[in-house]
């Protein structure tokens, strides 16, 4: 994205709109997770993902027409787009599979540990430098994540 395109995107909407969309997204995600938790009791993960994907495709076509699809296939980064799509399918399949075995609160707690993994992968994958202050914050976040997951407590419950 060029600097001028970035500036026009930023100027097109206010930060209040961005905050509103972000909050709306954070409100919708728990509903999504709860519905997924209910669905995995009776349906396979692949059935849920198939219907979810069909709905997403219909929404994309309704809001954007079919023009985004051919453009994506002609994109110079289409292999990267394809790899990302496969990784997302794997991530959601594993997430929905976890919903069958974990309480919703445990599942969401583990999900919110993902920024820690992103920080660890920033250097090797994106060649980004992580500063000492950020590593300190990551270690504090990792500690909080472990406390929230309570692995020792979980093991004690499983031993009973």
């Amino acid at each position: 994205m060029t600097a001028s395109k970035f500036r026009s995107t930023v100027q097109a909407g206010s930060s209040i709109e961005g905050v509103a969309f972000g909050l709306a997204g954070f409100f919708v995600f728990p509903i999504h997770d709860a519905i997924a938790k209910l669905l995995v009791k009776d349906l396979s993960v692949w059935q849920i993902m198939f219907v979810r994907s069909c709905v997403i495709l219909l929404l994309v076509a309704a809001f954007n027409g079919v023009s985004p699809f051919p453009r994506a296939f002609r994109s110079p980064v289409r292999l990267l787009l394809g790899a990302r799509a496969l990784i997302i399918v794997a991530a959601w399949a594993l997430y929905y599979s976890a919903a069958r075995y974990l309480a919703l609160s445990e599942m969401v707690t583990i999900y919110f540990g993902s920024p820690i993994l992103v920080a660890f992968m920033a250097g090797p994958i994106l060649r980004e430098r992580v500063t000492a202050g950020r590593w300190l914050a990551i270690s504090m976040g990792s500690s909080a994540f472990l406390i929230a997951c309570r692995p020792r407590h979980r093991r004690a419950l499983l031993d009973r």
Side-chain angles (χ1 to χ4, degrees):
M1 180 178 276
T2 64
S4 62
K5 283 185 181 179
F6 179 76
R7 262 188 245 108
S8 66
T9 303
V10 171
Q11 293 169 354
S14 72
S15 59
I16 298 295
E17 288 175 287
V19 169
F21 281 125
L23 289 174
F26 285 124
F27 177 75
V28 172
F29 272 121
I31 296 168
H32 167 267
D33 292 342
I35 291 171
K37 177 82 176 147
L38 290 172
L39 290 174
V40 294
K41 291 179 182 176
D42 298 321
L43 300 170
S44 78
V45 168
W46 298 111
Q47 288 172 313
I48 297 167
M49 289 187 55
F50 177 77
V51 172
R52 176 183 181 265
S53 298
C54 288
V55 169
I56 289 170
L57 283 173
L58 289 173
L59 288 172
V60 167
F63 287 113
N64 295 312
V66 294
S67 61
F69 299 107
R71 193 171 129 216
F73 290 118
R74 289 190 311 268
S75 171
V77 292
R78 66 182 168 275
L79 291 177
L80 209 51
L81 283 171
R84 183 178 185 271
L86 291 174
I87 290 168
I88 288 173
V89 167
W92 282 113
L94 293 168
Y95 188 72
Y96 290 157
S97 296
R100 184 170 284 141
Y101 304 103
L102 297 174
L104 185 59
S105 60
E106 294 170 317
M107 193 170 74
V108 172
T109 300
I110 292 169
Y111 179 78
F112 281 112
S114 66
I116 297 166
L117 297 175
V118 169
F120 278 110
M121 292 185 291
I125 294 175
L126 298 174
R127 305 285 184 244
E128 292 180 354
R129 187 175 162 270
V130 181
T131 63
R134 289 196 177 135
W135 280 119
L136 178 64
I138 291 166
S139 63
M140 288 171 36
S142 299
S143 301
F145 173 74
L146 286 174
I147 291 168
C149 287
R150 300 184 316 182
R152 180 173 290 151
H153 178 71
R154 163 71 56 204
R155 191 173 62 227
L157 289 175
L158 293 174
D159 290 340
R160 288 184 190 171

